[in-house]
Amino acid sequence: MSVLIVDYGMGNLASVRRALEECGANAFISDNPADLSDCSHILLPGVGAFSDAMQRLQQGGWVEPLRRIVCDENIPLLGICLGMQLLADVGEEGGIHPGLGIIPGRVVRLQPVANERIPHVGWNSVAHRQHELFDGVPVNSDVYFVHSYHFIPADAEDIRATTPYCGHFVSAVGRGAAFGTQFHPEKSSRHGLRILRNFLTWRGEAAGLTNSEEQTPRFVRPPVRSYRA
Amino acid sequence: MLKVRVIPTLLYKDVGLVKGTGFNSWRRVGSAMPAIKVYNTRDVDELILMDISATVDGREPDFDAIAELAEECFVPLTVGGGVRDIEAVRLLLRAGADKVTVNSAAYARPELITEAALRFGSQCVVATIDAVKTGDRYVCHSHAAKQSTHQHPAEWAQRLEQLGAGEILIQSVERDGTLQGYDLDLIKCVTEAVSIPVIASGGAGTYQHMHEALTQAGASAVAAAAMFHFTEQTPAQAKAFLAALGVPVRDSQRVA
């Protein structure tokens, strides 16, 4: 299998590539959307700000090809950190900006409770639902986070994991062939590498993406508070 | 629950690792690559890699050397030393750093912090403050603590937060390398001044010192260099010690 790492001028691509290679993947970094036809899996990394990243994805000609290949052709995509947030409809970092719109939802700033500090930096637990990408990862395993914003999916069905900080925020989302983790699997030691290995054998799920005929619900209000894994 | 972090700091000069006292009298402690590999195998929470002579020598970070070191590093890596402009931040992130720390350059051009935060996100901008105690007053120093800036660490930390820094690394110059314990007053004045995470640095000699910095001074993470280089103590045992005292650490069931 061959994993395309989307290079849009942001983020720490080397460590993602190294981690994927450690998991046995043939991983290549590309700044050319035409290469999407040569891969079995896509990795959307990201360290950076939402607006800048979307602008760079647009300039690089990635937006439409990514939507098509993930939503219509069901090629599995893993978005990491900002890469997960970019899957949303809208991001609120640095103004209101449209995202890729692959998983309906909104990206908003974390709201600290009591004396919690923002950004949320360090190791925290993930309470995850049954999903192939979490096979072999015990519930409440610690993984590495470094972020100030979080994804609120419009559809609670898309929530794959939550993490106890700022109340509970959504730390993994999944819909069809698209999956996103707010944490960094490539920096999360053995649990992170296990998630990457699971991704490499994952074929995505066919139904329910934004481009399907069925009308998907748009963002209404945060479902997070009511959800407990 | 968010866990506290125990972070070994690796200081390097040319290609060798060094450790000093009071930002001076550097001793060689080996080469960087084996140390990175050991900490990687031991699965530490995070690593800080600091080029201590880049700014003083007026040169850029050695991006190739950092890329080689980062290749072997599967734990989160913060890199600093000689970061003067946004291009250096970009190249360090590209070389494999997860976070970049800025120190001296922020005094000369505070906008650098804002530019880096807007482009790469606040979460990867760590602002380092080197504080010197004169009488009972603290003053920020730049250029490997060689130049006074007349800034107070708490006020400067607040300014750095406003500019967009995502974390503060507060270092006590006097305590550096002494193993006498963190300067708790210094750390506390900074943690109380900002709402971003603060990493305590300078003076750690025992696990108890780490406990004090976390519980009495409000640090989110504790960094240590000499303690791990020159004593038998390890990050894993530090976490077992902290866990036994009820401090949340990663994989406490495994290290305890």
Side-chain angles (χ1 to χ4, degrees), chain B:
Chain B
M1 185 186 272
L2 181 62
K3 312 303 186 291
V4 306
R5 288 164 284 155
V6 175
I7 309 175
T9 308
L10 302 175
L11 306 175
Y12 70 100
K13 197 177 171 180
D14 309 320
V15 286
L17 286 189
V18 294
K19 184 64 199 118
T21 306
F23 280 43
N24 224 318
S25 13
W26 303 105
R27 291 161 64 180
R28 287 191 63 91
V29 294
S31 42
M33 187 62 96
I36 294 243
K37 284 184 176 169
V38 166
Y39 285 129
N40 196 53
T41 310
R42 289 185 181 170
D43 197 12
V44 294
D45 295 335
E46 202 172 308
L47 270 181
I48 296 173
L49 186 60
M50 206 81 90
D51 183 336
I52 56 159
S53 56
T55 294
V56 178
D57 296 348
R59 61 175 170 78
E60 292 199 305
D62 185 341
F63 301 108
D64 291 338
I66 290 156
E68 257 177 58
L69 296 170
E71 277 274 299
E72 294 299 326
C73 184
F74 287 107
V75 300
L77 180 65
T78 299
V79 180
V83 178
R84 279 181 295 187
D85 50 31
I86 189 85
E87 182 62 5
V89 177
R90 188 183 76 83
L91 290 171
L92 285 176
L93 292 173
R94 201 163 179 96
D98 298 288
K99 296 186 278 187
V100 170
T101 172
V102 180
N103 187 348
S104 303
Y107 298 103
R109 221 171 63 78
E111 318 83 79
L112 173 59
I113 300 283
T114 310
E115 289 165 16
L118 286 176
R119 171 84 192 272
F120 303 107
S122 282
Q123 78 289 333
C124 71
V125 183
V126 180
T128 298
I129 300 175
D130 293 336
V132 170
K133 196 173 186 181
T134 320
D136 54 1
R137 200 184 133 72
Y138 295 104
V139 181
C140 301
H141 278 226
S142 69
H143 296 79
K146 288 181 172 53
Q147 295 179 20
S148 172
T149 67
H150 310 292
Q151 293 272 2
H152 186 273
E155 287 157 18
W156 183 233
Q158 268 176 352
R159 179 84 202 286
L160 290 165
E161 178 179 14
Q162 285 159 9
L163 288 164
E167 254 180 312
I168 302 282
L169 171 62
I170 178 72
Q171 310 201 109
S172 158
V173 174
E174 290 78 33
R175 299 293 178 100
D176 173 58
T178 63
L179 304 171
Q180 298 291 303
Y182 294 98
D183 185 334
L184 298 178
D185 293 335
L186 170 67
I187 294 158
K188 196 168 182 199
C189 84
V190 172
T191 59
E192 286 177 350
V194 298
S195 63
I196 54 180
V198 175
I199 306 167
S201 177
T206 66
Y207 305 141
Q208 183 61 40
H209 292 151
M210 293 182 160
H211 186 254
E212 289 162 4
L214 296 162
T215 57
Q216 294 172 32
S220 299
V222 281
M227 175 178 161
F228 295 140
H229 289 321
F230 301 137
T231 79
E232 297 294 304
Q233 300 173 100
T234 66
Q237 284 170 4
K239 289 198 287 179
F241 178 91
L242 294 169
L245 293 177
V247 176
V249 298
R250 176 166 70 111
D251 289 342
S252 52
Q253 65 280 29
R254 203 163 56 109
V255 297

Side-chain angles (χ1 to χ4, degrees), chain A residues 7 9-15 17-19 22 29 47-49 51-52 56 81 93 116-125 140 142-144 146-148 164-165 184 186-191 193, chain B residues 1-3 5 43-46 71-77 90 93-99 117-124 165-167 190-192 194-198 218 220 249-251 254:
Chain A
D7 178 7
M10 322 260 297
N12 177 352
L13 305 179
S15 60
R17 197 200 64 230
R18 268 275 290 155
E22 189 78 9
I29 294 169
V47 167
S51 53
D52 205 6
R56 282 163 195 278
C81 196
E93 184 176 6
E116 288 175 335
R117 290 171 187 266
I118 308 291
H120 175 227
V121 183
W123 297 81
N124 205 337
S125 57
N140 293 331
D142 286 331
V143 291
Y144 188 77
V146 51
H147 63 117
S148 307
Y165 203 71
H184 288 266
E186 80 281 14
K187 289 286 171 181
S188 293
S189 188
R190 63 191 188 287
H191 299 312
L193 291 178
Chain B
M1 185 186 272
L2 181 62
K3 312 303 186 291
R5 288 164 284 155
D43 197 12
V44 294
D45 295 335
E46 202 172 308
E71 277 274 299
E72 294 299 326
C73 184
F74 287 107
V75 300
L77 180 65
R90 188 183 76 83
L93 292 173
R94 201 163 179 96
D98 298 288
K99 296 186 278 187
L118 286 176
R119 171 84 192 272
F120 303 107
S122 282
Q123 78 289 333
C124 71
E167 254 180 312
V190 172
T191 59
E192 286 177 350
V194 298
S195 63
I196 54 180
V198 175
S220 299
V249 298
R250 176 166 70 111
D251 289 342
R254 203 163 56 109

Side-chain angles (χ1 to χ4, degrees), chain A residues 99-114:
Chain A
L100 290 170
I102 291 175
I103 298 183
R106 203 169 176 94
V107 176
V108 304
R109 199 172 158 81
L110 287 166
Q111 293 301 324
V113 177

Side-chain angles (χ1 to χ4, degrees), chain A residues 89 101-104 154-155 158 175 207-219:
Chain A
D89 297 318
I102 291 175
I103 298 183
D155 186 347
D158 296 341
R175 186 179 181 91
L209 274 175
T210 2
N211 281 12
S212 70
E213 287 169 24
E214 191 188 342
Q215 192 64 35
T216 53
R218 307 312 287 179
F219 176 81

